[in-house]
Amino acid sequence: LIRVKIGTEEQVVLVKNSNAGHHRSRPTPLPTTVSIEEYYPILPAQEFGKKLDHRIAVADVTMVKSTQLLYHRNYKAFVGLRLVDESGDQIAVAYFKQAISCLDPSVPPFSIEQYLIAGVFTGDLDFYAKFLGHQGASAKWLCMFCLAMQDRLKDVFISGGTAARFQKRTIESIKRMHGIYKEKLSLCRLANKQKQKEKKSRKK
């Protein structure tokens, strides 16, 4: 896990080691060499890191020689990081969930911290929520591990074998629900635009 802090803002990405021979209980760290590189990716700005797959870089860590922070001058923002080999060629890239705005890439201090994960992906609840794109404990479905609802949470304390049991979440179900959310959000925006048009036409 890579935690990137630029100025006062921070983002996280995941690097998955594709080398089948790596030691799972003692994972190999990435090289500490870091540089800033101007970058002009194909993805439009609004798509950076929106998909979970975009925030995960899959690479043979033994081939990685340095890490580059990607600065997009057109958008005036850091958009992710890139892993490069000894020749400077790209091995893998991971985008931030949200770009970090910065007018001058040479001004803000930055730091990169590595968290070597061996078998168990762990952190506090706030970290999990940010990484998975979950709204947190104030959401209607407040749990990031299962589909528990706010108004049914008290049911888990019912005795007599009738306590509620909630379906577990998986990475696949999170992706699927994110797709449904995007679709419904798009429909809501279209409906709001239509209402605004109708209001304007009535005023005329």
Side-chain angles (χ1 to χ4, degrees):
L1 186 77
I2 308 297
R3 179 185 182 187
V4 180
K5 187 173 183 179
I6 300 173
T8 58
E9 298 186 56
E10 62 181 52
Q11 289 290 316
V12 294
V13 296
L14 189 65
V15 176
K16 182 179 179 181
N17 194 347
S18 61
N19 188 328
H22 78 279
H23 202 298
R24 294 185 181 276
S25 63
R26 293 195 298 273
T28 305
L30 290 168
T32 56
T33 305
V34 181
S35 61
I36 295 176
E37 186 76 11
E38 288 194 20
Y39 190 55
Y40 300 92
I42 298 174
L43 286 174
Q46 62 270 24
E47 292 299 320
F48 293 150
K50 292 299 182 183
K51 294 182 179 180
L52 183 61
D53 291 344
H54 290 169
R55 304 199 293 274
I56 301 175
V58 180
D60 181 348
V61 173
T62 61
M63 301 294 294
V64 178
K65 296 303 178 184
S66 65
T67 303
Q68 296 176 341
L69 283 175
L70 302 179
Y71 181 77
H72 202 303
R73 189 165 292 280
N74 289 353
Y75 301 127
K76 304 293 184 185
F78 288 94
V79 297
L81 59 80
R82 175 167 55 189
L83 307 176
V84 297
D85 61 17
E86 193 171 7
S87 301
D89 296 326
Q90 176 176 305
I91 298 175
V93 62
Y95 294 108
F96 299 146
K97 183 182 177 184
Q98 292 182 333
I100 299 177
S101 298
C102 179
L103 295 177
D104 185 350
S106 64
V107 172
F110 67 86
S111 64
I112 293 182
E113 297 179 1
Q114 294 186 54
Y115 297 84
L116 302 182
I117 302 170
V120 178
F121 181 59
T122 185
D124 59 21
L125 294 179
D126 181 60
F127 172 79
Y128 280 142
K130 288 179 180 178
F131 185 81
L132 295 173
H134 189 266
Q135 291 179 331
S138 62
K140 182 177 181 180
W141 280 272
L142 73 164
C143 181
M144 66 192 77
F145 304 109
C146 71
L147 295 175
M149 296 178 65
Q150 285 275 13
D151 55 1
R152 291 199 61 203
L153 194 59
K154 62 182 182 299
D155 296 345
V156 299
F157 301 104
I158 297 176
S159 60
T162 59
R165 295 292 183 267
F166 301 107
Q167 182 180 349
K168 290 182 179 180
R169 292 184 189 266
T170 64
I171 292 297
E172 289 71 25
S173 71
I174 291 173
K175 289 181 180 179
R176 184 171 62 253
M177 294 306 294
H178 178 63
I180 294 172
Y181 168 80
K182 284 176 63 178
E183 181 180 353
K184 290 188 175 182
L185 181 62
S186 178
L187 291 174
C188 286
R189 286 174 174 171
L190 287 173
N192 287 334
K193 286 182 179 180
Q194 185 62 35
K195 287 181 181 179
Q196 290 175 0
K197 287 182 180 179
E198 290 175 357
K199 286 182 179 179
K200 288 180 179 180
S201 61
R202 284 197 295 267
K203 288 180 179 179
K204 291 179 180 179

